[in-house]
Amino acid sequence: MGSNSSRIGDLPKNEYLKKLSGAEPVSENDPFWNQLLSFSFPAPTSSTELKLLEEATISVCRSLVENNPRTGNLGALIKVFLSRTKELKLSAECQNHIFIWQTHNALFIICCLLKVFISEMSEEELQLHFIYEEKSPGSYSSDSEDLLEELLCCLMQLITDIPLLDITYEISVEAISTMVVFLSCQLFHKEVLRQSISHKYLMQGPCLPYTSKLVKTLLYNFIRQEKPPPPGAHVFSQQSDGGGLLYGLASGVATGLWTVFTLGGVGSKAATRPELSSPLANQSLLLLLVLANLTDAPDAPNPYRQAIMSFKNTQDSSPFPSSIPHAFQINFNSLYTALCEQQTSDQATLLLYTLLHQNSNIRTYMLARTDMENLVLPILEILYHVEERNSHHVYMALIILLILTEDDGFNRSIHEVILKNITWYSERVLTEISLGSLLILVVIRTIQYNMTRTRDKYLHTNCLAALANMSAQFRSLHQYAAQRIISLFSLLSKKHNKVLEQATQSLRGSLSSNDVPLPDYAQDLNVIEEVIRMMLEIINSCLTNSLHHNPNLVYALLYKRDLFEQFRTHPSFQDIMQNIDLVITFFSSRLLQAGAELSVERVLEIIKQGVVALPKDRLKKFPELKFKYVEEEQPEEFFIPYVWSLVYNSAVGLYWNPQDIQLFTMDSD
């Protein structure tokens, strides 16, 4: 790009880029590289700017694709970058801004070129561009050094070993972005890639020893949420004519221009910062999720997933079993805090799910926390604002709740946490409510939303499973939570009656017209009856195990006792209705004895007295309600497209043409 390029619009006619992509080979020792790498312009941040950069450089990239088999200039550029990275750590320690700046520029160009190469050719063709050896024009040798593997290892070293300073922040982000680009071949395949050259490099050979160190570094980048340095904190002053930044390097010798070092702004206008407070944390998290969801190799499991499954707390002094590879330790308290604070993004919620589901050390630690509300409340907010979230984000949040409710200790403790003034809950003013009651309210609201909008049976099932897991430990339910439980049952009852009526009318109509296909009301009725039975089991579980703790639920039952009448003799519900019917009959009798026109307070008092008098042996015991989350077969079919959709939508400084994407449809969630 050279010292005269500071605007994206100038790039297609840039003489240095033309030489890089031209028909003449350039030696890695040529002074040309210092000239090429002496450029600066405000880094594109918006998708519009990134698209402009893509359009401005596509002709150069395609010219290089055509000429590189004869020139090997891509390999020469990579060798220039590799030679510089060997001195990068020392340059950071010595505050050698120029060296780091040029090395970053080299990586930036490599990343831009790779993105085009990967989108336009197969991995096998890409590999040929990396193993060019200067023997004769267009010759390749299988014995030559594989620059692709060497570059990947170098990037892993850069990410893990280079200290994070103001002057190294951008090159750290660029190294992570380049690794994401390396793996982006998945975007251009409809099917999940189960064998890939880039996967192979990452899972064996020289890259493998960096596995645990890379995962640990990416996690710490997420934890620390380091903000980028102020614009211009590590560059030099601009030209006096405002035409852009110049370092004025020629033939490797710096002119006097760059000696005027300043901490001023970048270019004539301040670059627009991305909305993300920490591009490094965001990019690190995306790369971590991509690595964690790589498919296993035919002869070995995914080492990055192994590392995520096995890392321990820094306070855990017990030795790692020798059978656990890629193990490391990290500060769980810091990780927990970051996870609590970052749940507004899909990727942070997906990381929380991954850790809870796959790492038993993390799960045990989180369930032992005494401040679980810090984690649960953001998850409930995601579910509460279901209309504003994509379906995958809602699904992940719900599965997290299901995993948490598998633990009886969690189910007990959430009713002991009292919350004040939940401002985001707008249906009703909640000045004081337990975390457990709030969780019930939000899950029931999600079920009701699903019934009227998305009608996703799987979402229904998981919501009800979470409520069922909690039901035996319901304690001191808020009156509004108790009301909503019965209101949901009322809604289901009405829906049941409506479908039953439709089925009856449809059956009558079929007697007069045999040619008209009938809707499958029997299937609809079966689904609704399954949900109704689940709700009855949840109510029954609470009455059987914690009746004395929940006078508000008994009150709500009595208030809506007529709802349950039609199900007393229904063959699908007779057994589960026994206890509910017994409780309704017992307390109705006591209220009748107390007289008419009773206040709410008096009714609750009678219920509390009656709970003591009700013989517990009269309540029939049913098997404990326990549902465990089980990941579907071939989960990669769901998670890999999901992760890459997050990369596509959330990655900083990366743009792919939506028309080229094959893995997922662009209008999907």
Side-chain angles (χ1 to χ4, degrees):
M1 294 187 188
S3 59
N4 292 321
S5 281
S6 59
R7 289 179 296 273
I8 291 176
D10 296 336
L11 297 179
K13 52 193 177 186
N14 181 276
E15 59 179 296
Y16 298 104
L17 288 179
K18 282 184 177 180
K19 184 172 181 179
L20 171 67
S21 61
E24 295 297 322
V26 182
S27 164
E28 61 195 88
N29 299 315
D30 196 304
F32 159 79
W33 298 109
N34 277 335
Q35 298 167 333
L36 172 72
L37 301 180
S38 300
F39 70 88
S40 186
F41 52 79
T45 55
S46 69
S47 58
T48 303
E49 291 173 342
L50 289 164
K51 185 178 179 182
L52 287 174
L53 176 63
E54 177 98 355
E55 292 170 349
T57 55
I58 191 68
S59 60
V60 171
C61 293
R62 286 177 176 164
S63 177
L64 184 63
V65 168
E66 181 181 345
N67 292 321
N68 188 65
R70 292 182 296 277
T71 65
N73 285 347
L74 176 62
L77 171 61
I78 289 169
K79 286 179 181 178
V80 169
F81 170 74
L82 292 175
S83 67
R84 284 174 167 273
T85 56
K86 293 172 184 174
E87 301 174 42
L88 200 57
K89 193 171 183 179
L90 180 62
S91 298
E93 292 169 357
C94 299
Q95 295 284 304
N96 189 335
H97 296 72
I98 296 176
F99 189 89
I100 294 171
W101 165 63
Q102 286 194 315
T103 308
H104 166 268
N105 285 351
L107 185 55
F108 176 77
I109 296 173
I110 290 168
C111 187
C112 290
L113 294 172
L114 275 177
K115 196 155 62 62
V116 175
F117 273 56
I118 289 170
S119 67
E120 298 201 352
M121 64 182 68
S122 69
E123 280 195 299
E124 290 73 21
E125 291 174 304
L126 176 68
Q127 194 177 30
L128 287 177
H129 282 274
F130 276 83
I131 58 175
Y132 173 88
E133 196 167 37
E134 193 173 347
K135 290 183 175 179
S136 59
S139 69
Y140 295 98
S141 168
S142 58
D143 298 327
S144 61
E145 189 176 28
D146 192 338
L147 282 177
L148 179 58
E149 185 173 50
E150 192 176 345
L151 179 57
L152 271 174
C153 285
C154 177
L155 291 173
M156 295 174 85
Q157 285 178 296
L158 196 160
I159 294 166
T160 56
D161 293 348
I162 301 302
L164 187 62
L165 309 168
D166 278 0
I167 59 173
T168 60
Y169 190 97
E170 286 187 10
I171 196 170
S172 297
V173 173
E174 199 65 47
I176 294 169
S177 297
T178 307
M179 283 200 70
V180 171
V181 168
F182 259 121
L183 295 163
S184 67
C185 53
Q186 176 64 80
L187 281 171
F188 310 105
H189 293 79
K190 288 184 178 180
E191 304 298 324
V192 167
L193 289 178
R194 300 189 182 278
Q195 292 190 38
S196 163
I197 293 172
S198 54
H199 296 187
K200 177 183 172 184
Y201 286 140
L202 287 169
M203 293 189 189
Q204 61 187 45
C207 292
L208 188 61
Y210 292 97
T211 297
S212 58
K213 199 171 182 182
L214 178 62
V215 171
K216 183 176 182 178
T217 301
L218 296 175
L219 275 172
Y220 268 127
N221 286 347
F222 168 72
I223 288 169
R224 290 169 180 150
Q225 294 289 317
E226 292 280 1
K227 295 182 179 180
H234 59 291
V235 296
F236 297 80
S237 60
Q238 65 184 70
Q239 267 185 291
S240 58
D241 63 4
L245 291 175
L246 285 182
Y247 280 55
L249 296 177
S251 303
V253 180
T255 69
L257 266 176
W258 60 262
T259 59
V260 188
F261 177 68
T262 174
L263 296 180
V266 178
S268 56
K269 294 182 181 178
T272 305
R273 302 306 305 173
E275 291 182 9
L276 292 162
S277 61
S278 177
L280 179 65
N282 179 75
Q283 221 80 335
S284 296
L285 178 51
L286 291 171
L287 176 58
L288 182 63
L289 292 172
V290 169
L291 293 171
N293 286 282
L294 295 177
T295 54
D296 293 335
D299 54 348
N302 177 349
Y304 303 93
R305 189 182 302 120
Q306 284 184 314
I308 286 170
M309 290 172 65
S310 59
F311 70 83
K312 297 194 305 184
N313 195 352
T314 49
Q315 296 181 352
D316 186 347
S317 57
S318 61
F320 283 103
S322 56
S323 59
I324 297 181
H326 316 300
F328 64 91
Q329 291 178 289
I330 205 166
N331 188 309
F332 277 14
N333 182 60
S334 300
L335 178 57
Y336 179 81
T337 301
L339 286 167
C340 292
E341 292 174 349
Q342 300 299 321
Q343 285 308 306
T344 51
S345 74
D346 280 69
Q347 47 267 39
T349 304
L350 182 54
L351 176 64
L352 175 57
Y353 159 80
T354 302
L355 296 177
L356 272 175
H357 178 53
Q358 297 185 0
N359 190 313
S360 59
N361 300 320
I362 280 281
R363 186 166 59 252
T364 301
Y365 173 85
M366 287 186 176
L367 289 168
R369 294 282 302 205
T370 57
D371 59 348
M372 276 299 289
E373 67 273 17
N374 291 337
L375 186 68
V376 175
L377 281 172
I379 299 300
L380 294 183
E381 261 198 274
I382 294 168
L383 293 175
Y384 185 79
H385 297 294
V386 60
E387 301 93 337
E388 302 166 16
R389 304 291 183 182
N390 69 68
S391 58
H392 287 1
H393 199 183
V394 171
Y395 174 75
M396 287 294 105
L398 187 54
I399 297 304
I400 288 167
L401 286 186
L402 180 55
I403 292 171
L404 293 173
T405 60
E406 291 171 13
D407 183 75
D408 286 341
F410 171 83
N411 295 331
R412 283 190 297 271
S413 65
I414 55 175
H415 292 288
E416 297 167 3
V417 178
I418 304 301
L419 307 168
K420 307 274 189 181
N421 299 315
I422 308 301
T423 54
W424 49 262
Y425 193 95
S426 59
E427 274 86 348
R428 178 166 173 155
V429 176
L430 299 175
T431 54
E432 186 172 290
I433 189 171
S434 71
L435 179 61
S437 288
L438 181 63
L439 196 158
I440 292 166
L441 284 175
V442 173
V443 171
I444 287 175
R445 186 180 183 275
T446 306
I447 294 172
Q448 291 179 323
Y449 175 84
N450 187 49
M451 285 175 64
T452 57
R453 305 285 183 87
T454 55
R455 299 183 181 181
D456 182 340
K457 183 185 175 183
Y458 199 63
L459 193 69
H460 254 33
T461 303
N462 285 294
C463 284
L464 291 166
L467 289 176
N469 285 346
M470 296 167 59
S471 59
Q473 277 87 32
F474 282 173
R475 295 288 188 276
S476 304
L477 288 183
H478 191 281
Q479 64 180 48
Y480 186 51
Q483 288 171 18
R484 298 310 295 163
I485 291 172
I486 305 305
S487 294
L488 175 58
F489 186 80
S490 174
L491 184 64
L492 291 166
S493 176
K494 290 175 183 175
K495 195 170 181 64
H496 178 267
N497 293 339
K498 182 180 178 181
V499 174
L500 195 59
E501 183 182 345
Q502 288 172 333
T504 305
Q505 290 176 352
S506 177
L507 193 60
R508 287 172 184 162
S510 68
L511 297 175
S512 58
S513 176
N514 294 325
D515 299 330
V516 180
L518 297 175
D520 193 358
Y521 289 116
Q523 184 178 355
D524 289 349
L525 201 60
N526 183 54
V527 170
I528 294 168
E529 288 185 354
E530 283 180 12
V531 176
I532 287 175
R533 180 169 180 90
M534 190 78 144
M535 281 302 301
L536 289 172
E537 288 178 342
I538 289 166
I539 295 168
N540 179 72
S541 173
C542 176
L543 296 179
T544 307
N545 294 283
S546 54
L547 177 65
H548 56 295
H549 288 299
N550 292 292
N552 283 328
L553 183 61
V554 177
Y555 183 99
L557 272 174
L558 295 172
Y559 190 74
K560 293 283 190 179
R561 71 191 82 173
D562 294 344
L563 277 176
F564 299 88
E565 190 65 35
Q566 64 174 309
F567 299 106
R568 289 176 64 189
T569 56
H570 195 292
S572 298
F573 311 119
Q574 272 182 315
D575 59 335
I576 205 72
M577 276 297 301
Q578 288 180 33
N579 288 342
I580 297 172
D581 192 38
L582 173 63
V583 169
I584 290 174
T585 303
F586 177 82
F587 285 99
S588 295
S589 173
R590 293 182 75 89
L591 290 177
L592 195 61
Q593 293 171 17
E597 297 185 8
L598 300 172
S599 66
V600 173
E601 292 76 15
R602 178 60 183 145
V603 172
L604 285 171
E605 185 182 341
I606 293 169
I607 290 171
K608 290 173 184 176
Q609 292 169 354
V611 166
V612 180
L614 177 65
K616 301 298 184 291
D617 57 359
R618 291 180 61 187
L619 294 173
K620 182 182 176 182
K621 290 289 184 183
F622 286 85
E624 184 182 11
L625 290 179
K626 271 297 168 191
F627 294 88
K628 189 175 178 64
Y629 169 66
V630 179
E631 206 167 58
E632 294 182 17
E633 291 185 15
Q634 295 188 316
E636 64 274 8
E637 298 291 342
F638 169 83
F639 285 104
I640 289 178
Y642 180 32
V643 168
W644 278 104
S645 72
L646 297 181
V647 172
Y648 177 84
N649 289 306
S650 310
V652 179
L654 292 177
Y655 170 84
W656 288 275
N657 188 331
Q659 295 177 345
D660 296 335
I661 305 300
Q662 298 291 317
L663 182 61
F664 48 83
T665 54
M666 301 312 300
D667 58 348
S668 69
D669 286 335

